Amino acid sequence: MADANEFAVGPMLAAYAMRVEESLGRRHAEPAHPYRNDYERDRDRVIHSRAFRRLEDKTQVFTLRFSDHFRNRLTHTLEVAQISRTVARVLGLNLDLVEALALAHDIGHPPFGHAGEEVLDGLMREHGGSFDHNIHALRIVEGFEQKYLDFSGLNLTFEVREGIIKHSHDCDPALFPELAEYRLDDRPTLEAQVIDLADEIGYNCADLDDGYEAKLLTVAAMRDGMLLFDRLYRPLEKKRAAAPEKLLFNEALKQLLDALVTDLIDSTRERLRKSGARSVEDVRRNPKRLAGFGGAMGTEDMRVKDFLSARLYAHPSIRAERKKITRSLEGLFQHFLEHPRSLPASYHAKAQQEALHRIVCDYIAGMTDSYLIQQYGKYVTG
Ligand code: MG
C-alpha cells in the first residue's frame, strides 16, 4: 500500500493551509502508516492518551457540585474541535491537523481549571519556577505519556507540538531558549491560530449557558451587559412572547455562537486576502496572527468576556469554590515537598534528576479534580 501522506483526502486545501507532506515530521522517525496520514495519527494518539481521558474529570469553570450536566474540560474540548472543524473546512485548512490541535489544546490543564493553574503557578514562583498549561502539555506529549517501545511521549509531528506551545499566546524567545526550535518569533500555522478563537467562542458561549443554568446569570443581566446578545434576544422575544425564557435564551445563545463563528470566518478570510498570504511560510512571517474577529465583533467579544469576568468568574459562589481549591492545592503541594516518599515511585525516582518542586508540580498538574480531593483528604486533612 502507498504512503497515506501522499493521498489528498477530503476537500481541497487552500494555498495557505498546512500540507501533511510538508510537515517537519517527528522527533523519532517512524514508518508511514498505510491509510492514516501523520496528522490523523497524531489526533488518534492524543485521543488514546491518559492525559486526554483525564479531561473528563477536570473542571472547566463549574465543579460537579453545581451540576453534573455542565461542561467539563473534555466536553469543552469536543465543542472546540467541532467549532474548529467547521471554520477550518470553510477556510480550506487542514482538517486533520486542526482536529489533532483542538483535541490536544487543553491536555496540559491542571485540576480545577484556571484557578488551579494560577495557584500552581504561584506555588512554583515561590521556588523560582513557573507553571503554564501549554508548556505542561508539551511535557506530557514529549515525555510523560509512556506507551511506545522506542520512545517516551507521543512523538507528535512538529506542527502539533508547535501549536501546543503557541496556543492562545506567544512565548518570549528570550525567556524560553529551550523552545527555540519552535521559531517563537514566527506565527503558528493558521490551523493553530483558528483553535485559539474556536476555544474562546466555545468557552464564552458555554460559560453563559452553564452560568444561566446554575442561576448565577439572568437573561436581564446578559441583555444589559452584552449589546449583541440583546440585539439577538429582542426579536425572538417579540415573535415568541409566550415561549419559555429558557428556550428563548437557548435560541439567542445559538445565534450568538453562529454570529461569532461567521465573523471569525469572514474576517479571517478578509485578513488573508489583504495580507496576500499564499503559503504557510507567508502565514508564519506575517507580523500578526491572521485568524481573528473583525473590529466590530472584536468589541462584542470583549463585552462578552468582560461580562463573564465581572458577573460569573467573580461571583461569590465561584469565589468560595476557589478558596477551597487554593487550600487543597497548597496543602498537597506542601505535603509532597515535605514527604517526597509519598509520591509514586516513578515520580520519586525523578527527583534525582530534577528539582523536587518541579516533580511535585508535574504530579499535581496531572491529577483529576477528584483524585486531588482524595489525595488531599488522605495526606493533609485525613
Ligand atoms: Mg480550552
Side-chain angles (χ1 to χ4, degrees):
M1 227 180 203
D3 173 345
N5 289 335
E6 290 165 13
F7 294 132
V9 183
M12 284 284 288
L13 292 182
Y16 43 71
M18 184 66 213
R19 283 160 172 73
V20 68
E21 61 275 19
E22 284 165 17
S23 169
L24 293 181
R26 307 183 186 282
R27 260 191 217 298
H28 309 277
E30 291 183 52
H33 191 274
Y35 50 85
R36 287 180 306 152
N37 71 49
D38 283 345
Y39 294 148
E40 289 178 294
R41 292 174 89 183
D42 282 2
R43 172 202 61 202
D44 298 349
R45 287 172 190 204
V46 170
I47 288 183
H48 289 281
S49 69
R50 262 189 194 185
F52 184 77
R53 289 193 294 278
R54 285 185 188 151
L55 294 173
E56 180 192 20
D57 187 14
K58 292 203 181 200
T59 290
Q60 180 66 18
V61 171
F62 292 92
T63 64
L64 292 184
R65 264 162 289 183
F66 277 92
S67 167
D68 59 5
H69 58 250
F70 289 175
R71 274 81 175 171
N72 58 41
R73 219 157 261 283
L74 180 62
T75 58
H76 158 71
T77 295
L78 297 177
E79 291 179 358
V80 173
Q82 173 258 319
I83 295 169
S84 306
R85 281 184 61 91
T86 301
V87 175
R89 190 175 45 72
V90 181
L91 292 175
L93 300 178
N94 189 315
L95 290 182
D96 301 323
L97 175 57
V98 153
E99 202 169 15
L101 285 165
L103 294 170
H105 92 277
D106 264 355
I107 59 167
H109 254 290
F112 295 115
H114 287 285
E117 181 170 27
E118 275 168 35
V119 176
L120 265 188
D121 185 50
L123 288 165
M124 286 299 283
R125 283 180 192 278
E126 288 174 18
H127 298 271
S130 64
F131 178 82
D132 172 273
H133 78 267
N134 292 342
I135 291 175
H136 188 67
L138 191 68
R139 288 167 71 78
I140 291 172
V141 303
E142 288 274 77
F144 299 162
E145 291 283 333
Q146 297 287 338
K147 302 174 72 97
Y148 297 94
L149 285 169
D150 297 329
F151 45 78
S152 294
L154 303 179
N155 198 28
L156 301 178
T157 56
F158 175 87
E159 293 73 28
V160 175
R161 285 179 280 128
E162 180 203 25
I164 287 174
I165 272 302
K166 296 181 180 176
H167 170 54
S168 68
H169 61 83
D170 296 320
C171 292
D172 182 346
L175 293 179
F176 297 95
E178 70 277 18
L179 300 177
E181 67 174 302
Y182 297 108
R183 297 170 50 178
L184 297 181
D185 284 325
D186 286 0
R187 261 40 66 206
T189 60
L190 263 178
E191 284 80 358
Q193 296 184 29
V194 160
I195 303 300
D196 294 353
L197 281 304
D199 184 26
E200 200 171 309
I201 294 172
Y203 67 66
N204 282 336
C205 293
D207 292 348
L208 290 172
D209 194 19
D210 290 348
Y212 175 74
E213 193 67 20
K215 300 195 170 31
L216 301 184
L217 300 176
T218 63
V219 164
M222 287 188 258
R223 294 181 67 176
D224 205 39
M226 299 178 289
L227 278 188
L228 176 58
F229 182 82
D230 182 56
R231 260 205 318 276
L232 297 168
Y233 196 92
R234 200 176 307 158
L236 292 168
E237 182 190 45
K238 225 178 192 175
K239 208 161 80 187
R240 303 291 298 271
E245 185 193 75
K246 168 72 183 156
L247 298 183
L248 290 172
F249 165 76
N250 283 351
E251 182 59 32
L253 187 65
K254 190 160 68 76
Q255 290 186 15
L256 177 69
L257 194 151
D258 195 62
L260 289 164
V261 170
T262 305
D263 185 86
L264 170 62
I265 292 168
D266 292 345
S267 304
T268 301
R269 204 183 253 149
E270 180 60 14
R271 234 176 261 128
L272 277 162
R273 195 186 58 74
K274 278 195 188 141
S275 75
R278 298 291 305 152
S279 67
V280 177
E281 204 48 32
D282 291 345
V283 171
R284 290 190 182 289
R285 293 271 163 82
N286 202 67
K288 283 188 173 167
R289 295 188 181 214
L290 288 160
F293 300 116
M297 191 57 89
T299 307
E300 299 292 351
D301 180 63
M302 277 312 290
R303 274 201 193 109
V304 176
K305 279 187 181 167
D306 290 346
F307 175 80
L308 283 166
S309 298
R311 306 300 289 265
L312 184 65
Y313 310 143
H315 194 282
S317 43
I318 300 274
R319 275 182 186 276
E321 287 279 295
R322 208 188 153 92
K323 275 192 191 147
K324 284 187 221 157
I325 293 161
T326 305
R327 210 167 36 233
S328 39
L329 274 162
E330 286 177 351
L332 207 51
F333 195 92
Q334 200 52 39
H335 165 81
F336 286 125
L337 281 185
E338 286 165 13
H339 307 93
R341 293 211 167 267
S342 55
L343 285 165
S346 60
Y347 281 87
H348 187 243
K350 283 190 206 167
Q352 314 302 325
Q353 290 105 41
E354 276 185 292
L356 183 58
H357 62 270
R358 168 54 62 195
I359 289 152
V360 169
C361 177
D362 286 341
Y363 182 49
I364 291 180
M367 290 182 184
T368 58
D369 292 4
S370 48
Y371 190 65
L372 182 120
I373 290 167
Q374 187 248 328
Q375 292 279 292
Y376 181 64
K378 179 175 171 185
Y379 289 121
V380 185
T381 58

